[in-house]
Amino acid sequence: MAQRVDPTFMKSLEKFGVKDWKDCFHCGNCTASCPLTEEDYQFPRMVIRQAQMGLKDKLKSNLDLWMCYFCGDCTKTCPREANPCEIMRSIRRFQISAYDWTGLSKKFFTSTTWELSFIIGIGVIVLALFALFLPPSPELWTNPALFLNEQGGVMINNMVESISGPQFVKIIEYGDWTMAVVVGGLLISNILNMFYLTLLKDKSLHIPFTAYFTEFWKLIFHFSTQDKLRKCDDKSYWVGHVLLMTGYTIMFVIIVGLLPKFQIEEIVPWYNWQRLLGYYATIGILVFLIPVVIGRFKKKKCKLKHSHPTDWHFIIMLGLTAISGILVHIFRITGMPIATYISYVLHLAILVPMIMIEVPFSKWSHLAYRPFAIYFAALKKAGVEKEKVEPTPAFA
Amino acid sequence: MNKKDLIGIFFNHPGNGQISNINYDELKSYVSSFNFVKKVWDSDDSPLLDRSLMVSEIQKIGITRLVIVGHDTGMVKAFFNSVFKYMGLPVEDVLLADFREHGALERNDTELAKAILVCAIYNVPFEIAAKPGTSDVCADTLVIGGGISGIQASLEIADANQKVFLVEKTGTIGGHMAMFDKTFPTLDCAACILTPKMVEVGQHENIELMTYSEVQDVSGEPGNYKVKILKKARRVDISTCIGCGTCSEKCPSKAFSEFDAGTTLRKAIYIPFPQAVPNKYLIDAESCRHVQGKKCGVCVKVCPVPGCIDLDQKDEVVEITVGNIIIATGFKVFDPKRAEQFGYGKHPNVLTSLEFERLINAAGPTGGNITYRTKDKKGNWVFTTGGDVPDTVAIIHCIGSRDENYNAYCSKVCCMYSLKLAHLVKEKLPDAKVYEHYIDMRAFGKGYEEFYERIKKEGIKIIRGRTAIVESTNGKLIIKSEDVEKGKLLEKKVEMVILAVGLEPTDDAASIAKMCGIDVDGAGWMKEVNYVSDPVNTLSGGVAIAGLCQGPKDIPDSVAQASAAASRVLQNILKGKVSKGISSLTFSDIEKRARELSTIKYD
């Protein structure tokens, strides 16, 4: 495939966060010092080379970038202080925007205004929907005691006039399902696009049909364990990240699949599954998030030194979601109906835009792209091995 | 024409990509103090020059003279010439004050820039207004440092029948070159070139050699420097020592040999190496049992010359008067322990290039056999003459050079000496595999590229891509690197790793430079007047620099510069006068002189 050298391409990458792209003099130090680089996937130098030459298509189809889990070893010893890991991370942002066929992702990464206005816009829509269709009962103010159950907790599902408890939960559940379908659909379509860009587009590649099944375990394994992160990073970061991942996965399963059993009027004892899982998810998110926020402020760790606006948006929204969720819980069990209603609505007004924007378009999409990249890379390898074709020649 | 002269000043900033730390704002505030400066333009404000606009502006104010000041002033001179011609003014009144001409730009010296500007304003040539005074010269010369540069400079001056004091910090002259086995690209024996010169220095009637001495203080003025020299206690009388070596044989305490780069041990009373000049013993205070307060004195007892060894000798300070000083303090090699990833100090068979120079030298620890370090009975890692021979050797370039974490500059010689070492390994061990891992191959001199081509044909694997990590498993070293040209990840087992360490200024370079009143640059190398046109003289009158203290260079360049420094000194001696150096002038001196000499009457 003939490709044009485009030296202006790096300039366009600058908005994704690439800063020191001119400095690299290709000594190979980064590739050799990386604990994750392998014979088949070589980075960061090769990626930087492709970026410097402006080989856009090559970068779009490059799966190696996702094999990097940002430990910072390359940056520590880089003789040019070119910060290869940051370049890798920025090019991953470019890739996310390339996988997204709607073009919104690129807007979000390159313009803070775009992302913020979408986040706020969706939040306002959520608020408006509540105001129009699920407004608080006026009696919340006049007679709050009406909304308390015999245990003294707030009856969270009965705060809207003329809508019964089961009905309220159903409405929220339908809302959750809609969101899940939209987000899932977008994400899946983006993954399919990634599949097209990285594998299908390469006509020389013939992947054996069986490989799709034999390699599938890799997808599940790496999604659930993040094994590569364990190999590359200090263990505490990996533990935190797994806690975070399991935490939000549990929360997602609960609110999409088990909402009628989760969002109940009765205040159950703390050892019941609803509360235990909720606590686990909250702790998982906060345990990871708090050190990351501190680290991003301190700017000592290589990994947290440079923060793109999208990093902050994600962190802030995830943090606010967790905090508002905690507040709902506290207000509910302490019997404060008005506060419960407000915090509940706010919780959704933060949570919905976060999932709608971050999962298919922005930083959070790495939850899918990382394991899929490993899966696709395995497929590619199987295809190459079958054809007995040498891997694409490197750029020296 | 009795009309008063009015002046306009155009500030021209450096163009794209050129960096200047000269404070233009300070210059602007300086010129604004003159009432005859009527207009100041700035190239940053008006990057596109419009002639008709400029003409009308100049006519309105009535400017009769114009100074273009800054960087690349010649680039805009044509424009102002045309403006002046159009207005019927003489183009001679368009004056230039270029910061490049007198080195203000290179040194980022705003004071100097101001002086250049004021000379242009008064239309007095800078060389005339800023002419440093001269003083009479004492014919004796001090050379600091006894490496190849110091030796060469001393011999040049001494051969012209002038007196030279050669001060050397260690017990012998010779410096780093004496430690090398071969020189590139001719593969001449380094000692064969150097030792005759060393002997000549030792025997020369015009050279007073002061080894094991350090310059402590320099005072006085150009042409008449008073220099205090600390003669460290050698504890052996040079004049009576016959160099028999009995003392060393019996001496009970040992230390690492500096000359062998720490690969062998020497005694506390020792001679640095067999060809040392002076070929006399000395006592290392740090390892001598007697000096450290323990009971000893064996050397005194066995010495055949009575009174030759004086264990309680004290340091002594002598003062000499010299007219000129040549600084040739040389370099030290980069300490690779600072770059942990290469495993130096952790794995015994990771060597510096200097250690390997000694290992491969016929007078080295193994008599020139290349063996790798093995554990002896006491558990120390040592080279032994009959030891195991490595079958794979890797040479890693750019250790501590071209690396923002340590030294950003290129040390210039490492590529070439690495190729030389590779050749020497191949010469002694034809079956060994030799790998060179480089970033860029810099074969920059006469015959160097040809040498590189020759080495390539000798079966040495020269790989583009610096090694990132040196690890060890089961006693074997593993080096990880990327072959950048092939895009392949390499992980190789090798038995010996040679780190091509870069060069750094010596620890005392900064203090010696300060004593002599010259500057060092950011890396610590001494500053010359102008790297291109006057690489030998310094801003202090009568002080010249030679060799590595100025910056990394190879032996031929060092020798050439040493000869050049000697010629500068001889120039001063023959004239009998020495320039006091531009650093003896202050800005107000230059300003005053320019005003006096000026034919323009502004006020």
Side-chain angles (χ1 to χ4, degrees):
Chain A
M1 190 168 29
Q3 290 200 38
R4 230 168 220 295
V5 170
D6 177 10
T8 58
F9 174 66
M10 275 311 260
K11 204 81 195 150
S12 68
L13 276 184
E14 276 180 9
K15 283 208 162 169
F16 291 91
V18 178
K19 284 200 185 71
D20 310 309
W21 54 273
K22 274 184 200 156
D23 291 344
C24 175
F25 64 19
H26 298 276
C27 64
N29 186 77
C30 45
T31 308
S33 64
C34 176
L36 289 179
T37 192
E38 290 169 30
E39 196 57 58
D40 302 316
Y41 334 108
Q42 278 177 39
F43 52 85
R45 192 196 62 79
M46 205 106 86
V47 174
I48 296 172
R49 186 64 164 175
Q50 290 174 358
Q52 281 180 336
M53 289 173 79
L55 308 180
K56 225 175 185 172
D57 293 337
K58 202 104 201 164
L59 276 181
K60 281 182 188 168
S61 67
N62 196 329
L63 287 166
D64 305 351
L65 279 146
W66 295 102
M67 307 295 153
C68 160
Y69 277 68
F70 207 121
C71 62
D73 281 2
C74 52
T75 286
K76 260 176 243 159
T77 53
C78 175
R80 296 286 294 160
E81 289 181 351
N83 205 347
C85 17
E86 199 57 40
I87 296 183
M88 291 289 279
R89 174 146 78 183
S90 309
I91 296 176
R92 279 199 290 276
R93 292 191 191 115
F94 162 77
Q95 283 191 312
I96 293 175
S97 74
Y99 299 155
D100 173 42
W101 53 272
T102 62
L104 279 173
S105 181
K106 191 180 174 190
K107 291 277 179 210
F108 293 158
F109 275 123
T110 53
S111 157
T112 311
T113 333
W114 268 80
E115 187 168 64
L116 281 184
S117 47
F118 262 74
I119 289 168
I120 293 166
I122 294 173
V124 169
I125 290 172
V126 172
L127 291 178
L129 285 175
F130 266 91
L132 284 175
F133 302 109
L134 300 168
S137 168
E139 280 180 286
L140 267 178
W141 279 269
T142 53
N143 192 1
L146 262 184
F147 299 90
L148 300 180
N149 58 17
E150 56 273 23
Q151 292 156 300
V154 179
M155 296 199 286
I156 193 165
N157 297 332
N158 286 304
M159 293 189 293
V160 179
E161 212 175 7
S162 75
I163 291 178
S164 72
Q167 261 179 324
F168 181 81
V169 177
K170 261 279 162 296
I171 292 168
I172 300 292
E173 200 175 19
Y174 284 144
D176 285 346
W177 288 349
T178 320
M179 182 183 73
V181 167
V182 171
V183 168
L186 283 168
L187 190 61
I188 288 168
S189 66
N190 285 348
I191 291 169
L192 287 176
N193 194 21
M194 174 188 182
F195 178 64
Y196 166 74
L197 286 171
T198 54
L199 297 179
L200 275 192
K201 217 176 168 189
D202 186 358
K203 294 278 181 279
S204 65
L205 208 61
H206 299 287
I207 300 159
F209 189 64
T210 48
Y212 286 98
F213 303 98
T214 51
E215 303 293 344
F216 192 72
W217 67 271
K218 278 188 179 156
L219 177 67
I220 307 296
F221 175 72
H222 285 284
F223 177 79
S224 47
T225 61
Q226 289 141 23
D227 193 51
K228 283 199 178 227
L229 184 62
R230 181 177 64 85
K231 273 185 203 154
C232 123
D233 225 314
D234 52 358
K235 296 280 178 288
S236 63
Y237 191 89
W238 169 71
V239 170
H241 198 266
V242 169
L243 272 178
L244 172 78
M245 189 276 294
T246 46
Y248 66 64
T249 309
I250 287 168
M251 263 345 246
F252 190 77
V253 170
I254 287 174
I255 59 168
V256 173
L258 301 165
L259 197 71
K261 290 187 177 152
F262 182 67
Q263 193 168 303
I264 47 176
E265 308 292 22
E266 188 194 350
I267 307 270
V268 293
W270 65 269
Y271 47 79
N272 268 37
W273 67 269
Q274 291 99 325
R275 283 180 76 167
L276 283 183
L277 287 182
Y279 289 148
Y280 173 80
T282 315
I283 290 168
I285 292 171
L286 290 182
V287 158
F288 183 72
L289 217 53
I290 292 169
V292 166
V293 171
I294 295 171
R296 280 197 188 270
F297 271 115
K298 276 191 177 166
K299 298 185 179 181
K300 283 234 174 81
K301 267 191 185 171
C302 167
K303 197 172 191 146
L304 306 172
K305 224 176 202 167
H306 302 276
S307 302
H308 194 259
T310 50
D311 296 333
W312 281 117
H313 299 162
F314 181 44
I315 289 171
I316 291 168
M317 288 207 291
L318 196 58
L320 288 180
T321 308
I323 291 166
S324 57
I326 295 167
L327 288 179
V328 172
H329 183 65
I330 293 171
F331 293 144
R332 198 168 76 85
I333 56 176
T334 53
M336 298 164 74
I338 303 167
T340 309
Y341 180 83
I342 293 170
S343 56
Y344 183 78
V345 173
L346 281 179
H347 181 60
L348 288 185
I350 299 162
L351 175 79
V352 173
M354 174 177 75
I355 292 181
M356 297 283 280
I357 300 297
E358 292 293 337
V359 175
F361 301 117
S362 198
K363 187 177 166 76
W364 210 353
S365 56
H366 74 266
L367 78 100
Y369 295 146
R370 280 207 179 277
F372 268 102
I374 295 172
Y375 177 50
F376 289 162
L379 293 180
K380 195 171 186 176
K381 198 175 173 186
V384 171
E385 266 169 17
K386 191 197 166 207
E387 289 293 306
K388 291 232 167 11
V389 183
E390 281 289 297
T392 15
F395 293 89
Chain B
M1 197 166 72
N2 284 330
K3 233 177 104 189
K4 275 174 190 165
D5 266 316
L6 296 176
I7 197 164
I9 296 178
F10 184 86
F11 281 91
N12 200 32
H13 285 268
N16 272 350
Q18 286 164 323
I19 303 152
S20 155
N21 290 330
I22 288 178
N23 190 346
Y24 277 69
D25 293 334
E26 197 186 319
L27 296 180
K28 277 183 198 167
S29 71
Y30 169 68
V31 296
S32 65
S33 65
F34 296 120
N35 55 4
F36 50 85
V37 174
K38 287 295 169 197
K39 175 80 186 171
V40 170
W41 293 274
D42 193 298
S43 67
D44 278 1
D45 301 337
S46 49
L48 288 172
L49 296 168
D50 184 323
R51 195 172 72 166
S52 54
L53 210 71
M54 190 60 80
V55 167
S56 68
E57 227 173 324
I58 290 179
Q59 269 168 347
K60 206 168 77 191
I61 311 165
I63 284 169
T64 54
R65 224 170 250 285
L66 194 120
V67 175
I68 306 168
V69 57
H71 184 259
D72 288 343
T73 50
M75 306 276 272
V76 282
K77 184 164 196 298
F79 168 78
F80 284 105
N81 275 358
S82 75
V83 169
F84 267 52
K85 247 183 213 161
Y86 182 83
M87 293 166 57
L89 293 169
V91 290
E92 291 77 28
D93 287 347
V94 178
L95 303 162
L96 298 185
D98 201 302
F99 296 159
R100 173 149 290 181
E101 267 178 39
H102 306 286
L105 203 73
E106 275 167 35
R107 290 202 290 277
N108 290 319
D109 187 340
T110 306
E111 282 295 297
L112 187 55
K114 222 154 73 173
I116 295 169
L117 175 58
V118 79
C119 289
I121 289 176
Y122 287 106
N123 198 8
V124 177
F126 180 81
E127 289 82 355
I128 293 175
K131 195 173 184 183
T134 56
S135 51
D136 291 337
V137 132
C138 162
D140 298 352
T141 304
L142 169 69
V143 177
I144 308 173
I148 178 64
S149 306
I151 290 173
Q152 180 73 16
S154 304
L155 285 176
E156 298 273 7
I157 298 168
D159 284 347
N161 270 336
Q162 303 298 332
K163 171 98 180 159
V164 176
F165 296 93
L166 175 55
V167 175
E168 163 61 37
K169 192 166 62 175
T170 67
T172 173
I173 55 170
H176 279 99
M177 188 178 170
M179 298 162 77
F180 301 156
D181 185 46
K182 296 277 159 61
T183 59
F184 59 80
T186 47
L187 297 174
D188 286 324
C189 154
C192 311
I193 302 170
L194 183 68
T195 42
K197 281 181 191 280
M198 287 164 62
V199 172
E200 209 183 327
V201 167
Q203 294 175 349
H204 209 294
E205 53 179 3
N206 287 333
I207 298 178
E208 188 172 333
L209 185 57
M210 297 169 148
T211 52
Y212 213 50
S213 304
E214 281 175 38
V215 174
Q216 217 175 25
D217 185 41
V218 178
S219 58
E221 59 168 3
N224 194 15
Y225 286 114
K226 301 265 181 293
V227 184
K228 275 191 188 141
I229 291 166
L230 173 75
K231 283 187 142 179
K232 290 182 280 186
R234 195 180 178 109
R235 296 185 170 85
V236 176
D237 186 357
I238 301 188
S239 54
T240 53
C241 174
I242 54 170
C244 63
T246 326
C247 52
S248 188
E249 248 170 59
K250 303 283 182 212
C251 176
S253 59
K254 286 180 176 176
F256 285 110
S257 159
E258 292 86 359
F259 180 73
D260 276 336
T263 56
T264 56
L265 293 172
R266 57 151 173 83
K267 294 291 176 63
I269 182 162
Y270 69 108
I271 192 160
F273 60 102
Q275 293 78 27
V277 171
N279 207 327
K280 312 281 173 177
Y281 281 75
L282 72 149
I283 291 176
D284 170 27
E286 271 167 37
S287 49
C288 173
R289 286 174 64 88
H290 180 89
V291 179
Q292 294 300 325
K294 289 175 193 157
K295 257 201 148 167
C296 194
V298 181
C299 49
V300 184
K301 277 177 215 150
V302 297
C303 182
V305 185
C308 177
I309 301 175
D310 174 12
L311 288 173
D312 299 315
Q313 193 188 1
K314 293 276 171 291
D315 294 354
E316 182 190 345
V317 178
V318 294
E319 193 174 294
I320 56 171
T321 305
V322 293
N324 294 285
I325 299 174
I326 294 176
I327 306 177
T329 48
F331 66 98
K332 67 168 193 232
V333 295
F334 174 78
D335 176 14
K337 277 183 190 155
R338 284 166 64 195
E340 281 171 16
Q341 66 266 37
F342 301 113
Y344 180 77
K346 204 163 110 195
H347 313 309
N349 284 308
V350 179
L351 313 181
T352 66
S353 46
L354 205 54
E355 287 171 346
F356 192 77
E357 290 275 4
R358 293 313 303 155
L359 179 66
I360 207 160
N361 190 292
T366 60
N369 295 317
I370 305 172
T371 62
Y372 52 85
R373 275 193 178 118
T374 41
K375 248 187 191 169
D376 68 359
K377 282 170 203 159
K378 286 179 195 161
N380 296 324
W381 290 89
V382 289
F383 293 110
T384 43
T385 312
D388 296 330
V389 174
D391 51 24
T392 41
V393 177
I395 304 173
I396 307 173
H397 288 225
C398 293
I399 306 293
S401 321
R402 300 187 77 200
D403 192 330
E404 300 278 346
N405 301 310
Y406 312 105
N407 298 315
Y409 55 81
C410 167
S411 292
K412 205 172 173 183
V413 292
C414 322
C415 282
M416 291 311 294
Y417 78 58
S418 299
L419 289 173
K420 174 193 78 183
L421 292 179
H423 167 83
L424 293 177
V425 174
K426 213 60 186 167
E427 190 181 69
K428 297 208 170 174
L429 307 170
D431 296 331
K433 278 187 189 147
V434 184
Y435 301 101
E436 289 246 5
H437 286 271
Y438 72 99
I439 301 177
D440 293 296
M441 190 59 81
R442 298 193 163 169
F444 59 93
K446 179 177 165 184
Y448 291 10
E449 185 65 27
E450 291 89 329
F451 184 68
Y452 176 32
E453 290 300 323
R454 171 182 164 189
I455 301 300
K456 273 202 262 186
K457 288 184 194 122
E458 287 179 357
I460 289 153
K461 292 199 170 51
I462 301 180
I463 299 157
R464 190 184 167 115
R466 192 181 78 161
T467 297
I469 302 172
V470 179
E471 284 169 351
S472 157
T473 44
N474 306 330
K476 280 241 177 182
L477 295 167
I478 292 177
I479 60 169
K480 287 183 180 172
S481 58
E482 187 194 2
D483 185 336
V484 173
E485 271 166 8
K486 292 195 182 121
K488 266 175 77 180
L489 206 61
L490 302 174
E491 205 175 296
K492 280 185 304 233
K493 273 190 185 168
V494 295
E495 277 163 341
M496 185 183 273
V497 171
I498 302 166
L499 303 178
V501 284
L503 313 181
E504 287 183 342
T506 49
D507 297 327
D508 48 10
S511 69
I512 287 177
K514 203 178 165 197
M515 276 179 227
C516 299
I518 61 177
D519 293 338
V520 294
D521 66 11
W525 303 110
M526 290 181 196
K527 276 193 184 173
E528 60 297 294
V529 170
N530 185 309
Y531 184 66
V532 178
S533 63
D534 195 355
V536 173
N537 272 356
T538 65
L539 287 185
S540 296
V543 179
I545 49 178
L548 265 293
C549 65
Q550 183 201 21
K553 51 175 75 71
D554 57 356
I555 294 169
D557 285 0
S558 300
V559 171
Q561 201 189 9
S563 296
S567 91
R568 286 300 171 103
V569 166
L570 289 173
Q571 225 176 53
N572 290 340
I573 295 172
L574 284 180
K575 277 195 298 192
K577 295 270 180 201
V578 62
S579 156
K580 284 181 180 171
I582 196 166
S583 63
S584 68
L585 292 174
T586 63
F587 168 68
S588 53
D589 290 342
I590 300 172
E591 192 189 26
K592 200 174 141 210
R593 223 175 125 73
R595 214 170 266 167
E596 280 167 13
L597 294 170
S598 176
T599 54
I600 307 165
K601 295 288 168 256
Y602 279 116
D603 305 305

